[in-house]
């Protein structure tokens, strides 16, 4: 039985390994395209418009790729699968608002940040607006995010409910199944505007973060080229323009 299990495992592993395509910079450059993953459920950063991935960071990556002479081939995956999948070389890079954290830096490499933001409390009228007011409250967050980490650190919270998508956490707040939702401050702002009749309120920023694209750990040349492209679109004003298109302000790190 043991042996069979071992064989199955070994077979599974070798199958998985044969589909691995470790794409370094030279290979990507030569192929003329870069395979980039995002999520598609995190407006205004990444979302679906019909069947097309759209949003601030989709435009940013398109502009970066253009500087590098590459076309982007997009993939959509759930947010919590992105880091594991990049470690399996399923794609070359992901851009999905990953906050730069020490923990994540152990398993992937980050480019320079394409924006600076933070995690903010969102609630309904009369709900908790400050960290201290979250005591005995139910907090809704997306799974595997820095918001989930922050919510778990809140002292005295009654429960932290995690949802596969950030929009699910938002829906839970609207439906009154959680007392507060912790999300990105620009996502929060857009949700407040879109749900005007719900009277959502934004509260305290629990933490600030720098958000960046990720590549496989050690894919240094790719990371360096993405950084150069980011610097180029910053220098020629493209990055600011994209930011103003989605946020009516410059959200890039100063
Ligand atoms: N910025 C947060 C983090 O680093 C959340 C990102 C969520 N991204 C998404 N595409 N849903 O964890």
């Amino acid at each position: 039985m043991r042996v069979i299990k071992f064989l199955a495992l070994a077979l599974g592993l070798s199958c998985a390994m044969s589909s691995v395509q470790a794409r370094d910079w030279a290979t990507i450059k030569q192929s003329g395209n870069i395979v980039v993953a995002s999520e598609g459920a995190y407006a205004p950063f990444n979302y679906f418009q019909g069947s097309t991935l759209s949003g601030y960071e989709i435009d940013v990556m398109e502009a970066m790729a253009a500087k590098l002479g590459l076309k982007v081939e997009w993939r959509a995956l759930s947010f919590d699968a992105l880091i594991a999948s990049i470690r399996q070389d399923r794609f070359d890079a992901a851009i999905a608002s990953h906050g730069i954290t020490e923990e994540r830096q152990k398993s992937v490499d980050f480019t320079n940040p394409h924006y600076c933001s933070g995690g903010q409390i969102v609630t309904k009228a009369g709900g908790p607006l400050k960290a201290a007011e979250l005591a005995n409250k139910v907090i809704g967050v997306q799974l595997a995010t820095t918001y989930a980490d922050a919510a778990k650190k809140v002292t005295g919270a009654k429960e932290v409910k995690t949802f596969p998508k950030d929009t699910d956490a938002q829906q839970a707040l609207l439906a009154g199944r959680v007392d507060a939702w912790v999300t990105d401050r620009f996502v929060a702002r857009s949700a407040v505007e879109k749900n005007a009749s719900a009277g959502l309120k934004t509260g305290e920023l629990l933490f600030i973060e720098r958000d960046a694209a990720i590549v496989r750990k050690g894919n240094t040349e790719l990371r360096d080229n993405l950084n150069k492209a980011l610097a180029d679109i910053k220098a020629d004003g493209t990055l600011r323009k994209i930011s103003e298109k989605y946020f009516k302000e410059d959200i890039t790190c100063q």
Side-chain angles (χ1 to χ4, degrees), residues 38-42 46 57 79 82 96-101 104 115 142 144-147 166 184 209 211:
S38 190
E39 182 200 29
Y42 196 63
N46 63 73
E57 52 200 348
F79 179 74
L82 289 168
S97 292
H98 284 94
I100 300 175
T101 66
R104 287 172 177 164
Y115 72 95
Q142 184 181 19
T145 59
T146 49
Y147 317 130
D166 193 56
D184 178 87
E209 68 179 6
D211 296 83

Side-chain angles (χ1 to χ4, degrees), residues 204-218:
E204 196 177 338
L205 261 191
L206 294 181
F207 63 94
I208 56 165
E209 68 179 6
R210 296 176 306 136
D211 296 83
I214 55 173
V215 299
R216 174 171 45 80
K217 194 155 186 59

